[in-house]
Amino acid sequence: MAKYPKIPEATIRRLSNYLKCLEDLENRNEKVSSSALLANMCNVNAAQVRKDFAYFGEFGIRGMGYNVKELKFNIKEILGINREWKIGVIGIGNMGSALLVYKDFLKQNYKIVAAFDIDPVKVIGHISERMGRPVEIFHVDRLKEVVKVREIEIGIITVPPSEAQKVANQLVDANVKGILNFSPSPVSVPKHIRLRNLFFTSALDNLIYYLSN
Amino acid sequence: MAKYPKIPEATIRRLSNYLKCLEDLENRNEKVSSSALLANMCNVNAAQVRKDFAYFGEFGIRGMGYNVKELKFNIKEILGINREWKIGVIGIGNMGSALLVYKDFLKQNYKIVAAFDIDPVKVIGHISERMGRPVEIFHVDRLKEVVKVREIEIGIITVPPSEAQKVANQLVDANVKGILNFSPSPVSVPKHIRLRNLFFTSALDNLIYYLSN
DNA sequence: TATTGTGAAGCCTTTCACAGCA
DNA sequence: TGCTGTGAAAGGCTTCACAATA
């Protein structure tokens, strides 16, 4: 299934950033970008930008640069986000609700096709008051069943930290392929499940380290 | 001001993770941890863990491991988060509101001391309905003044992407030291200001790359 | 001419393997 | 004995410098 040679993890992280910058360029009606411009926007070296792309093909035109639209398309293909991904959100508190209506998800191919909570009735009122597009909310006991029927591949955990590992276990049992943990408690899962912990405080910790030192 | 020798950026990122794991261990009443246990929780090599700490001092006891509480204290000191940091949140939509009541910030020394919006009156009603602790909300025109009076050092941007750069400029003008951009649009600031862009989609992009390949 | 694509050099990070020590 | 701290080796990533070319 490996379409490409071994790629540095850092390259994959940067691809997401290039994509955000390309969207920005597109909004400003720029048709073409040099590696130097992209590099500058992302605070990396221009050779780095070219090398990152070179792992996957020759996307540029010598003397000209990269076509913004084409490059965007190619990066999406590389990342695998050129198709729709079905997502379930578990835990409809403040953060979960925010994600349900998060416009940047709607713009991408990320489709939140179901939400879960221990108190779906209370939550339905809470959500409907603030949502444009409705997302059906289920009791978390129905997780496995709904994951199967709605073909959910990715679970996003937004429950309180004390419940995070339990929910992670339930997601594994429900056969999701990947988990994105937004709760501030680290969870662990079997090796065949892909996991990313996204701790908000980490970004602040990091910022503050460089402010202090 | 540089307390330490040159440290790999990756080390700083990992320190945050170790901290989250140590909090987890503390919650489970573990007094001591080996480098191997921490390494396992964070999916890194045990030698890596020891080397990361060794940049800053000798925190462990040979034959025993690391005292959880002490190590936590030391990491917080290294990162500079052993003191209170005053933060302002700009943009009180769904995400901004979620951050205002985000419990993990309250537990740490991150104090959101003011919030800003272009429509603070509408927002006040919106917030008060869902908040325990009140955070005063100002019109964004008062940003510079309030940053000064409340000694805000860090600004968190949670406005829509079209407004992100403008708000970043206002924050720079208001003399914050660091900016954490939660909006999905990259912003740029002068070099003397520390900036972190936190794109939610990046975590998903990354997860999906490894699911696809 | 301007800018990409890339081999090779240089640098940085991780891992190994074991000395040091409670 | 068991686990940390660390010098040295291995590995990987970034940058340089320039050939290739639109």
Side-chain angles (χ1 to χ4, degrees):
Chain A
M1 218 202 193
K3 278 181 284 187
Y4 308 112
K6 204 181 146 292
I7 312 292
E9 264 197 60
T11 292
I12 304 305
R13 266 203 305 276
R14 282 189 298 264
L15 287 179
S16 281
N17 277 291
Y18 299 146
L19 199 54
K20 281 275 174 286
C21 291
L22 290 167
E23 278 165 11
D24 200 40
L25 288 169
E26 210 175 26
N27 289 336
R28 283 149 46 193
N29 258 304
E30 305 285 344
K31 303 297 182 208
V32 170
S33 169
S34 66
S35 59
L37 174 59
L38 260 180
N40 190 257
M41 291 176 81
C42 295
N43 296 305
V44 295
N45 181 292
Q48 180 81 82
V49 173
R50 298 197 296 276
K51 185 135 281 191
D52 282 340
F53 297 151
Y55 285 114
F56 305 99
E58 304 201 356
F59 301 139
I61 300 165
R62 290 167 199 233
M64 284 279 283
Y66 299 87
N67 178 300
V68 170
K69 263 202 167 52
E70 273 175 31
L71 186 55
K72 219 184 101 177
F73 178 87
N74 282 313
I75 294 177
K76 284 192 171 193
E77 187 161 77
I78 293 164
L79 290 174
I81 56 177
N82 53 345
R83 69 147 166 113
E84 188 175 289
W85 286 84
K86 289 177 183 141
I87 299 178
V89 172
I90 301 89
I92 312 302
N94 294 297
M95 194 57 65
S97 311
L99 288 184
L100 288 190
V101 296
Y102 189 57
K103 291 197 181 61
D104 203 46
F105 281 175
L106 301 176
K107 274 203 312 200
Q108 310 295 140
N109 278 320
Y110 302 125
K111 299 290 179 223
I112 298 175
V113 296
F116 302 87
D117 202 280
I118 43 168
D119 188 352
V121 176
K122 179 195 74 181
V123 159
I124 283 170
H126 179 69
I127 293 297
S128 60
E129 124 207 354
R130 290 167 50 240
M131 278 185 49
R133 189 185 59 114
V135 174
E136 202 165 349
I137 298 168
F138 302 92
H139 193 282
V140 74
D141 285 350
R142 296 183 59 195
L143 183 65
K144 189 170 186 174
E145 162 207 345
V146 176
V147 163
K148 188 167 186 187
V149 173
R150 305 227 165 163
E151 299 174 306
I152 291 172
E153 295 168 288
I154 295 173
I156 297 184
I157 300 178
T158 46
V159 296
S162 56
E163 306 302 316
Q165 184 61 59
K166 201 173 103 189
V167 168
N169 297 345
Q170 289 172 306
L171 282 166
V172 171
D173 181 58
N175 293 308
V176 300
K177 294 178 186 158
I179 295 177
L180 183 55
N181 176 31
F182 270 74
S183 100
S185 170
V187 303
S188 61
V189 296
K191 276 193 265 306
H192 69 281
I193 308 284
R194 292 281 171 184
L195 168 72
R196 289 288 174 283
N197 289 301
L198 199 159
F199 303 135
F200 291 172
T201 48
S202 292
L204 270 173
D205 292 347
N206 198 281
L207 185 63
I208 286 173
Y209 174 81
Y210 291 102
L211 289 180
S212 307
N213 289 280
Chain B
M1 218 202 193
K3 278 182 285 188
Y4 308 112
K6 206 180 144 291
I7 311 293
E9 263 198 59
T11 292
I12 303 305
R13 268 203 304 277
R14 283 189 297 266
L15 287 180
S16 281
N17 277 291
Y18 299 145
L19 199 54
K20 280 274 176 286
C21 291
L22 289 168
E23 278 165 11
D24 200 40
L25 288 169
E26 210 174 26
N27 288 335
R28 284 148 48 195
N29 258 304
E30 305 284 345
K31 302 298 182 206
V32 170
S33 169
S34 67
S35 60
L37 173 59
L38 260 180
N40 190 259
M41 292 176 80
C42 294
N43 295 305
V44 295
N45 182 292
Q48 181 80 82
V49 173
R50 297 197 296 275
K51 186 136 282 191
D52 282 341
F53 297 152
Y55 286 112
F56 304 99
E58 304 201 358
F59 302 140
I61 301 166
R62 292 169 197 230
M64 285 278 283
Y66 299 87
N67 178 301
V68 169
K69 263 202 166 53
E70 271 175 33
L71 185 56
K72 220 183 101 179
F73 178 87
N74 283 313
I75 294 177
K76 286 193 170 191
E77 187 162 76
I78 293 163
L79 291 173
I81 57 176
N82 52 345
R83 69 146 168 115
E84 187 175 291
W85 285 84
K86 289 179 182 141
I87 300 178
V89 173
I90 300 91
I92 312 301
N94 294 297
M95 194 57 65
S97 311
L99 288 185
L100 288 191
V101 295
Y102 190 56
K103 292 196 182 60
D104 203 45
F105 280 175
L106 301 178
K107 272 203 310 198
Q108 310 295 137
N109 278 320
Y110 302 126
K111 300 291 179 223
I112 298 175
V113 297
F116 302 87
D117 201 279
I118 43 167
D119 188 352
V121 175
K122 181 195 75 184
V123 159
I124 283 170
H126 181 67
I127 293 297
S128 60
E129 127 207 351
R130 292 167 49 240
M131 279 185 48
R133 191 184 59 114
V135 173
E136 202 165 347
I137 298 168
F138 301 92
H139 194 283
V140 75
D141 286 349
R142 297 184 59 194
L143 184 64
K144 189 170 186 175
E145 163 207 343
V146 176
V147 163
K148 187 165 187 190
V149 173
R150 304 227 166 164
E151 300 174 305
I152 291 172
E153 294 167 289
I154 296 174
I156 298 183
I157 300 177
T158 46
V159 297
S162 58
E163 307 301 317
Q165 184 63 58
K166 200 174 101 188
V167 167
N169 297 345
Q170 290 172 304
L171 281 166
V172 171
D173 181 58
N175 293 308
V176 301
K177 294 178 186 160
I179 294 177
L180 182 55
N181 176 30
F182 271 73
S183 103
S185 172
V187 302
S188 62
V189 295
K191 276 194 264 308
H192 69 281
I193 308 284
R194 292 280 170 185
L195 169 73
R196 290 287 175 282
N197 289 301
L198 198 159
F199 303 135
F200 291 173
T201 49
S202 292
L204 269 173
D205 292 347
N206 198 279
L207 185 64
I208 287 174
Y209 173 81
Y210 290 102
L211 288 180
S212 307
N213 288 280

